[in-house]
Amino acid sequence: MSESVLLYGGEVVTPQGVARQDILIEGERIAAVGPDLAVQRPHARQVDISGLVALPGLVDVHAHLREPGGEHKEDFHSGTCAALAGGVTTVLAMPNTSPPIVDRQTFEQASALAAAKAVCDYGLYIGATLDNAAGVAALAGQAAALKMYIGSSTGSLLVDQRAAQIAHFEAYPKDKVIAVHAEDEAAVQYYAAQGQRRPPICAALATAHTLTLAGHTRRRLHVCHVSTRAELALIREAKARGVRVTCEATPHHLLMTIDEERADRLGSLAQVNPPLREAEDVAALWAGRDVIDLVATDHAPHTLEEKRGSAPPSGLPGLETVLPLLLTAVREGRLSLPDLVRWAATRPAEVFGLARKGQIAPGFDADLALVDPSAEWTIGNEGLLTRCGWTPFAGWQVRGRVEQVYLRGRLAFAAGRVLAEPGSGRNVIS
Ligand SMILES: [Zn+2]
């Protein structure tokens, strides 16, 4: 018989709200949530979590773990350690690795690496190329989703030809998600020649075009990292007329402006695709929260040396900072705790079909982030578990710290240390 654990004394965020509740874990699952469960289950091992708030482990649907090919800046072990430190218990890993994950052979290679090294649960994306529509459709059952780069970013994956885009939307299964990096490549190149880096029109063009494709083919479109008022207006209108579209926003687009890149403070360190935006666009994201289904980190580590080089790569690490930053936003009254949970755990699990993830409720996996909501601290580069070793949020004062993380009923992270063994993470798709 599997062990029973009773967490008592903490506040618990459930779909119904926030309340003092006990959580009974049996084996890998949550067996019950409610007051005074100790009376019913005297045999359970009792763990006092007084002073802590229990959230469902976050589900991050957009993470670049860099393996294979970029192990000098991250791999499945270091990236999933960073995830646990950030209260994230499930990550969906992007396919723009080296080699990219675009066929059965590369998918199986990446699956074996993840299975051996991950310390949190995971799923793997498969990448669209100009000519692999039939191949990726055949692998759809094993993949977290299809990732299509309409505009170029890190790596070689790019599907900037209309015919290939249509072929993918026609071929991919109707119940599976097609996640799109929506920046129009021709517009990106045009503006680059004018000395402008990816202005908002690049994102709006690609989003409008892709929404049309999704509507016509009745496929499930997920727009990655929306960052502008224009994208939100397009997605709002498409949702209203029944297009099957969801979208995500990143902590960096929600919390930083392009001034971070212009100013001396971060400069090229803040370079990311799509870029950080003007304050009006950032305000539009907060005002348009009803259209944004979920928060995803787009965790995209590069070394400081790479970021400070002559041709800095785009991307920012984000797994370890997402939860403290969102808890601070709760403190500031910008969203509620149930909103945070819906945005960063429940809805991501729903959109990507992870039936046992994202809620503290009976039958769900016992994935928990236990946070101290009143801990005040300053984010720094020291002690980060991501191999790249830096964060664009260094120096930010935050309120709320991840103290313990449970993965399927087992304590996987506590007091700043990962306790889970490499290989204890499980593939949530197959
Ligand atoms: Zn990304």
Side-chain angles (χ1 to χ4, degrees):
M1 194 180 148
S2 55
E3 193 198 19
S4 296
V5 180
L6 185 77
L7 307 183
Y8 70 95
E11 301 277 317
V12 179
V13 189
T14 66
Q16 288 74 41
V18 187
R20 174 70 62 89
Q21 310 249 41
D22 297 343
I23 303 171
L24 179 69
I25 300 168
E26 285 184 345
E28 299 194 331
R29 306 274 187 94
I30 295 166
V33 183
D36 304 319
L37 295 179
V39 181
Q40 304 166 33
R41 313 288 175 117
H43 63 284
R45 181 164 64 84
Q46 308 219 349
V47 179
D48 184 359
I49 61 164
S50 298
L52 301 179
V53 177
L55 285 63
L58 303 194
V59 176
D60 185 9
V61 304
H62 192 152
H64 299 268
L65 302 184
R66 301 302 190 210
E67 189 172 12
E71 293 87 349
H72 64 290
K73 45 194 169 192
E74 203 77 289
D75 66 15
F76 281 110
H77 184 247
S78 62
T80 52
C81 283
L84 288 178
V88 176
T89 48
T90 304
V91 291
L92 301 185
M94 284 294 172
N96 59 333
T97 48
S98 183
I101 309 308
V102 294
D103 55 22
R104 185 172 299 278
Q105 188 194 355
T106 48
F107 191 84
E108 284 175 359
Q109 281 171 359
S111 299
L113 290 164
K117 297 169 85 170
V119 294
C120 75
D121 286 355
Y122 61 88
L124 303 181
Y125 279 84
I126 191 149
T129 69
L130 290 174
D131 58 7
N132 73 348
V136 293
L139 289 166
Q142 293 149 261
L146 176 68
K147 177 67 181 287
M148 190 187 302
Y149 287 86
I150 302 279
S152 57
S153 193
T154 300
S156 58
L157 290 178
L158 176 63
V159 184
D160 59 349
Q161 293 177 17
R162 292 280 155 90
Q165 294 164 5
I166 295 168
H168 277 290
F169 272 88
E170 296 277 5
Y172 210 65
K174 280 189 158 70
D175 59 332
K176 299 287 283 184
V177 172
I178 303 174
V180 168
H181 179 118
E183 289 187 289
D184 185 88
E185 183 62 14
V188 166
Q189 299 300 337
Y190 173 84
Y191 285 104
Q194 316 284 313
Q196 287 187 64
R197 221 180 81 72
R198 301 170 179 255
I201 181 67
C202 301
L205 283 171
T207 300
H209 163 69
T210 315
L211 284 167
T212 304
L213 259 178
H216 179 74
T217 58
R218 300 186 186 282
R219 287 320 193 262
R220 289 186 62 194
L221 169 65
H222 180 73
V223 182
C224 298
H225 41 54
V226 295
S227 60
T228 62
R229 179 192 303 273
E231 287 162 282
L232 285 186
L234 289 162
I235 293 167
R236 183 188 297 280
E237 184 273 337
K239 283 184 170 182
R241 64 185 160 84
V243 176
R244 302 165 78 203
V245 57
T246 52
C247 67
E248 73 191 27
T250 69
H252 49 272
H253 288 116
L254 286 164
L255 297 171
M256 289 174 159
T257 69
I258 188 65
D259 289 341
E260 298 285 342
E261 190 174 337
R262 290 185 188 130
D264 289 341
R265 200 175 78 81
L266 285 177
S268 66
L269 296 189
Q271 184 181 310
V272 61
N273 299 333
L276 299 176
R277 301 299 190 185
E278 303 285 353
E280 303 84 78
D281 277 316
V282 175
L285 294 187
W286 285 97
R289 279 206 291 121
D290 58 316
V291 185
I292 300 170
D293 292 86
L294 59 102
V295 165
T297 65
D298 194 4
H299 176 80
H302 298 287
T303 67
L304 279 174
E305 191 180 10
E306 290 168 334
K307 291 291 279 184
R308 287 176 175 145
S310 54
S314 296
L316 309 172
L319 276 167
E320 279 165 281
T321 45
V322 55
L323 187 45
L325 290 168
L326 290 177
L327 288 168
T328 304
V330 170
R331 272 281 171 179
E332 292 167 347
R334 306 178 82 176
L335 74 166
S336 70
L337 263 180
D339 287 343
L340 185 166
V341 164
R342 201 158 30 246
W343 239 11
T346 311
R347 200 63 191 122
E350 283 172 2
V351 169
F352 285 80
L354 313 179
R356 293 207 303 271
K357 301 296 190 186
Q359 290 187 42
I360 299 179
F364 281 73
D365 282 349
D367 297 342
L368 305 171
L370 306 184
V371 304
D372 176 351
S374 54
E376 276 185 82
W377 58 290
T378 304
I379 294 174
N381 293 337
E382 312 75 34
L384 291 173
L385 299 181
T386 174
R387 187 162 295 148
C388 75
W390 68 281
T391 164
F393 297 102
W396 286 45
Q397 288 270 119
V398 288
R399 188 98 183 249
R401 188 165 55 206
V402 179
E403 298 291 344
Q404 297 175 24
V405 177
Y406 282 78
L407 177 69
R408 282 180 279 103
R410 295 179 65 176
L411 192 59
F413 175 89
R417 290 189 51 225
V418 171
L419 307 174
E421 293 295 318
S424 51
R426 189 179 291 166
N427 191 330
V428 292
I429 305 300
S430 53

